[in-house]
Amino acid sequence: MMRLYLSGLLRMARDRSELFWGLLFPVIMATLFFVSFGIGMDPEKMSAVPAGLVSEENGMFETFLTGMDEGILDLEKMDGEQALDALRAGKISGVFYGGSEPSLTVAASGIEESILQTLLSSYLEHEAMMKQIAKEHPEKLFSAAAQLSGYPDLLEHVTATGRSMDTNLGYFYALIGMACLFGTFGGLDTSVEIRADQSALAVRRSVAPVHRLKLVLSGMLANFTLQFASVCLLLLYLNMLGLSFGDKWFLLLPVCALGSLTGVAFGIFVGSLKMRYGFKVGILVSSTLAMSFLAGLMFVNMKDIVEHHAPIINRVNPAALIADAFYSVAVYDNPARYAVNLALLAAITVLLTAVSFLRLRRERYESI
Amino acid sequence: MVHIENLVKRYGSMVALDHLNLDIREGEIFGLLGPNGSGKTTAINCMLALLKYDKGTIRLFGEEMQPDSYDLKRQIGVVPQNVAVFEQMTVRENIDYFCSLYVPQKAERKKLVEEAIAFAGLEDYQKMLPRKLSGGLLRRLNIACGIAHRPRLIILDEPTVAVDPQSRNRILEGIVELNRQGSTIIYTSHYMEEVEQICTRIVILNHGRSIASGTSEELKQMIKTGETIVIEGVDLKEEQQEAIGRLPHVFEVTYSAQKTLTVKCTSAQHNVVRILNYLQEQNAAFGRVLSELPTLNDVFLEITGKELRD
């Protein structure tokens, strides 16, 4: 068994396509995400954006800005010249100009400047509504402005535990889910190398005096080892880029381990089905992408939308379970939810492995 | 050593093996000869308990072969028709891996792997990956992976397909050597020359049925043709052709537009001399004269009415 396992590990470690999809592709995706969303995703490390406010009056825009959470905006009222000097000196990232036509002056382009621009756009977008409220219900203007200042929810969520997070973290959790599921391709090859009606290699292995279960388990373990190592390297890479997994990061390792095992088991299961190899690859590619999409890889709110409309999908989607387990540890600090996610992943893995073995142990075929 | 009785295998309505009977004795190089689709590989796969079959019994070493007959499997080596090696492992690692499925002891295996490498002439390619090997070397690796554990029974399914003549000769010599060392060989092929060259006994398969069996000589004696005489560049009138047809032991005369005379005779002495004497008597000039002994293709042709290579 150990010999089979080690030789399987050796073969997979030398398989360039396996290494690309299992390790390099998620790393490339992670890099692209960071380039898109910027470095410094950890809100605990993110400081309030310093900005100046030049305004003679105390109008709606000023109410909106001053009502902003202090964790987001560090606003200081200045005169025009003082504000521009501070901007040139790099003491502030931008200058808001109040009045009838609010505007923003920045000296560079970056994350902080983007946040200031987003705030201005947010206000301008709702300006007409605010004016209408001021005209019809002036007494409600302050609370409306306060509501509008809730817009930074887009930038910050506060959990029940008081821990803040960036919603973009969901992309990275879904990416980790997808990386775990890439073990499916190694699992597929394990199956194909066991089914004598699928490959000449399987014929040769089938006529050897080795029990099928040994072949399945050794292949599964070798795939799992490589996949788990790849996901751990991905976590390390993400951490190096600045993504924090919180104090209980070690709780994420069982999630990655079980997630990788689920991926491999899913690949073995699809490989055990009687259909052409290309078709099986198609099933794996499309299902892995679909599961990652539903877990929020391409649209971070997708997981919540699914939870609202069809929660059962989130309970059986391994990518969503992996992402949710990450949320449970790094954001919500919810051990019960974490345990449920792990239990569901384990159940899916056991089910897939059992069905696969029942299919693969059929040792005589109708045709080869 | 191998006993197959009334084996029937159907793929839907198509009968792949039709009440096939085979008896393979220890020490033989047993040839399964037949055109593509005649049921050779199907018979092998049934023998190895890979395929379900509809009827019949298969016994190897006196026991019924089952998928979990590990003691029987340990004594068998298989060289499949398609090259079956791992692309990510070197030549040596591949041989060692497949040998390890049969021989777990490292020291013993090391010796066997060395012998298999030497046997297949792969000493200079041990550290190469299979994709770097030529077609002939790949076939030799395929064989080395199947025989490294020194099995009592070796099944080779068309091992020389798409192989250059040099590698083919080496493979055939190797098979004879394995037999000399004590292994019983089952060799399937649609190349009659190979089967004729190395096999001690042959079964000819057609449409899943055994249509003839015996040694090469016995098979040839089963047919009428003992000698085929071809005379090129000869000018003959119709009555002269008929006269040749009446000569002793001649049973078929054909004359082509290219002035080539083909005469089929039963097995007898001086057939060529008699025909040439007749042509001299008739003052008929002629070119090259060829005398061909019957081949297994003639056997197949006479029994089935079609060429073995069809």
Side-chain angles (χ1 to χ4, degrees):
Chain A
M1 178 83 173
M2 182 54 81
R3 245 177 312 107
L4 293 173
Y5 165 74
L6 289 175
S7 66
L9 202 58
L10 175 77
R11 288 197 305 274
M12 283 163 218
R14 286 182 186 168
D15 190 328
R16 285 180 191 168
S17 68
E18 200 126 331
L19 285 181
F20 176 81
W21 291 109
L23 177 62
L24 213 56
F25 183 70
V27 163
I28 291 170
M29 290 274 284
T31 309
L32 290 176
F33 280 0
F34 268 101
V35 169
S36 305
F37 307 136
I39 308 287
M41 300 295 300
D42 185 0
E44 285 169 3
K45 290 179 187 168
M46 193 191 286
S47 53
V49 182
L53 172 62
V54 178
S55 178
E56 296 297 319
E57 54 188 88
N58 203 13
M60 274 190 301
F61 184 56
E62 289 77 5
T63 308
F64 169 72
L65 287 181
T66 50
M68 193 64 59
D69 193 308
E70 283 181 10
I72 296 290
L73 194 62
D74 178 12
L75 193 70
E76 194 181 336
K77 208 159 184 179
M78 300 171 170
D79 62 41
E81 205 168 319
Q82 192 186 0
L84 288 174
D85 284 346
L87 185 65
R88 280 191 210 104
K91 290 177 185 167
I92 55 174
S93 298
V95 183
F96 285 112
Y97 292 91
S100 57
E101 287 183 15
S103 62
L104 170 71
T105 298
V106 292
S109 62
I111 294 175
E112 294 192 341
E113 287 77 8
S114 299
I115 290 172
L116 297 181
Q117 178 61 45
T118 307
L119 291 174
L120 177 65
S121 306
S122 161
Y123 172 78
L124 293 174
E125 208 174 290
H126 297 87
E127 190 181 15
M129 184 180 75
M130 294 288 284
K131 279 181 178 166
Q132 198 177 349
I133 292 171
K135 192 175 162 190
E136 294 172 8
H137 303 283
E139 74 285 359
K140 292 185 177 170
L141 181 62
F142 186 78
S143 61
Q147 286 288 318
L148 192 55
S149 71
Y151 181 78
D153 276 354
L154 273 179
L155 300 167
E156 183 186 33
H157 279 186
V158 179
T159 68
T161 56
R163 195 177 298 179
S164 7
M165 66 159 281
D166 188 324
T167 44
N168 288 334
L169 287 175
Y171 287 115
F172 294 92
Y173 296 162
L175 176 67
I176 293 164
M178 185 186 77
C180 290
L181 292 186
F182 273 157
T184 53
F185 299 103
L188 171 67
D189 287 341
T190 297
S191 264
V192 169
E193 286 166 9
I194 288 171
R195 279 193 71 122
D197 59 345
Q198 301 266 308
S199 70
L201 260 172
V203 168
R204 179 160 258 163
R205 279 156 51 108
S206 295
V207 297
V210 181
H211 198 279
R212 287 284 172 109
L213 188 59
K214 275 189 184 175
L215 292 175
V216 176
L217 287 181
S218 60
M220 191 173 180
L221 283 177
N223 269 298
F224 159 73
T225 307
L226 200 72
Q227 197 57 37
F228 180 52
S230 300
V231 175
C232 287
L233 286 173
L234 175 67
L235 293 191
L236 199 64
Y237 177 70
L238 287 170
N239 192 247
M240 280 164 60
L241 286 179
L243 192 75
S244 168
F245 296 110
D247 304 334
K248 295 181 180 170
W249 60 268
F250 51 89
L251 287 176
L252 300 174
L253 295 180
V255 180
C256 295
L258 206 46
S260 301
L261 203 57
T262 309
V264 174
F266 182 56
I268 292 179
F269 168 72
V270 173
S272 73
L273 303 175
K274 191 175 168 62
M275 55 180 75
R276 283 189 298 117
Y277 182 78
F279 199 63
K280 289 178 184 180
V281 172
I283 288 178
L284 289 185
V285 170
S286 51
S287 57
T288 306
L289 282 177
M291 287 190 277
S292 307
F293 170 72
L294 293 174
L297 184 70
M298 292 135 199
F299 174 50
V300 78
N301 290 333
M302 183 50 75
K303 191 167 142 296
D304 295 333
I305 293 170
V306 173
E307 187 66 36
H308 186 66
H309 292 97
I312 184 70
I313 293 177
N314 277 350
R315 302 291 96 75
V316 296
N317 176 2
L321 290 170
I322 294 164
D324 202 63
F326 267 74
Y327 276 113
S328 305
V329 172
V331 179
Y332 303 127
D333 197 13
N334 186 338
R337 188 164 162 177
Y338 169 79
V340 168
N341 285 318
L342 280 192
L344 286 170
L345 275 174
I348 292 169
T349 308
V350 169
L351 184 70
L352 288 172
T353 308
V355 175
S356 305
F357 182 68
L358 285 175
R359 291 192 61 82
L360 289 170
R361 71 193 284 272
R362 193 187 64 173
E363 295 177 343
R364 284 189 204 247
Y365 299 90
E366 287 295 341
S367 64
I368 290 180
Chain B
M1 182 172 255
V2 180
H3 177 75
I4 295 177
E5 202 174 314
N6 275 324
L7 186 63
V8 177
K9 167 70 187 168
R10 294 190 187 91
Y11 294 114
S13 60
M14 197 197 88
V15 181
L17 294 175
D18 189 1
H19 295 89
L20 180 69
N21 294 296
L22 291 179
D23 252 315
I24 301 167
R25 297 168 213 138
E26 185 143 22
E28 282 188 320
I29 301 183
F30 186 85
L32 269 176
L33 180 67
N36 290 331
S38 59
K40 304 184 295 290
T41 303
T42 301
I44 297 291
N45 287 335
C46 288
M47 226 183 274
L48 293 169
L50 293 171
L51 266 183
K52 287 179 183 170
Y53 47 87
D54 299 280
K55 199 180 154 191
T57 52
I58 299 174
R59 297 181 81 81
L60 270 73
F61 307 106
E63 291 178 41
E64 196 173 337
M65 182 68 171
Q66 295 291 342
D68 58 354
S69 302
Y70 298 132
D71 284 341
L72 296 184
K73 285 183 168 183
R74 211 161 274 127
Q75 303 176 62
I76 303 171
V78 179
V79 178
Q81 190 169 352
N82 296 318
V83 174
V85 294
F86 288 108
E87 286 297 323
Q88 305 87 353
M89 294 168 97
T90 64
V91 165
R92 188 185 188 88
E93 286 166 349
N94 262 297
I95 299 172
D96 184 63
Y97 173 82
F98 288 109
C99 189
S100 77
L101 299 178
Y102 299 81
V103 183
Q105 300 82 5
K106 202 172 177 182
E108 187 188 346
R109 197 167 72 238
K110 193 175 177 219
K111 186 172 154 275
L112 291 171
V113 170
E114 293 290 351
E115 285 173 5
I117 287 171
F119 169 80
L122 293 168
E123 295 94 332
D124 297 336
Y125 311 97
Q126 292 184 54
K127 290 182 180 171
M128 277 193 181
L129 291 174
R131 65 171 175 269
K132 303 268 183 191
L133 301 179
S134 67
L137 288 172
L138 257 183
R139 286 278 164 190
R140 276 146 68 174
L141 171 60
N142 198 33
I143 293 173
C145 291
I147 57 100
H149 58 287
R150 295 240 167 192
R152 273 176 72 194
L153 173 66
I154 301 173
I155 300 172
L156 298 115
D157 192 3
E158 309 238 16
T160 58
V161 170
V163 166
D164 59 278
Q166 195 189 345
S167 285
R168 176 176 293 193
N169 285 337
R170 175 147 197 153
I171 288 169
L172 295 178
E173 284 165 15
I175 291 166
V176 173
E177 180 57 31
L178 286 169
N179 178 250
R180 254 188 235 123
Q181 290 171 10
S183 296
T184 302
I185 312 278
I186 300 177
Y187 185 88
T188 83
S189 179
H190 61 274
Y191 296 125
M192 58 179 177
E193 301 88 350
E194 287 180 1
V195 173
E196 216 171 333
Q197 185 182 335
I198 65 167
C199 293
T200 51
R201 213 153 58 86
I202 300 160
V203 160
I204 300 179
L205 288 185
N206 191 39
H207 297 306
R209 298 195 77 147
S210 161
I211 56 170
S213 68
T215 63
S216 173
E217 289 311 312
E218 285 168 351
L219 288 170
K220 287 170 192 171
Q221 281 167 14
M222 286 178 191
I223 60 170
K224 205 173 173 185
T225 307
E227 186 177 11
T228 303
I229 298 159
V230 180
I231 302 171
E232 294 174 350
V234 59
D235 240 331
L236 288 177
K237 292 177 189 151
E238 203 163 319
E239 55 268 26
Q240 289 172 315
Q241 292 170 35
E242 285 169 6
I244 291 171
R246 287 192 295 272
L247 289 173
H249 308 295
V250 173
F251 66 90
E252 190 183 310
V253 177
T254 50
Y255 185 66
S256 74
Q258 288 79 35
K259 296 183 177 176
T260 299
L261 177 73
T262 305
V263 182
K264 288 198 171 186
C265 312
T266 54
S267 191
Q269 289 185 328
H270 311 307
N271 285 330
V272 177
V273 175
R274 269 192 292 275
I275 293 167
L276 293 182
N277 282 343
Y278 173 77
L279 291 177
Q280 269 184 338
E281 282 168 18
Q282 298 291 313
N283 283 327
F286 53 88
R288 281 202 309 167
V289 177
L290 306 164
S291 170
E292 295 166 353
L293 292 173
T295 63
L296 292 177
N297 190 46
D298 294 315
V299 177
F300 194 79
L301 179 65
E302 208 166 299
I303 297 173
T304 66
K306 61 180 183 179
E307 298 271 341
L308 191 55
R309 289 193 181 91
D310 281 353

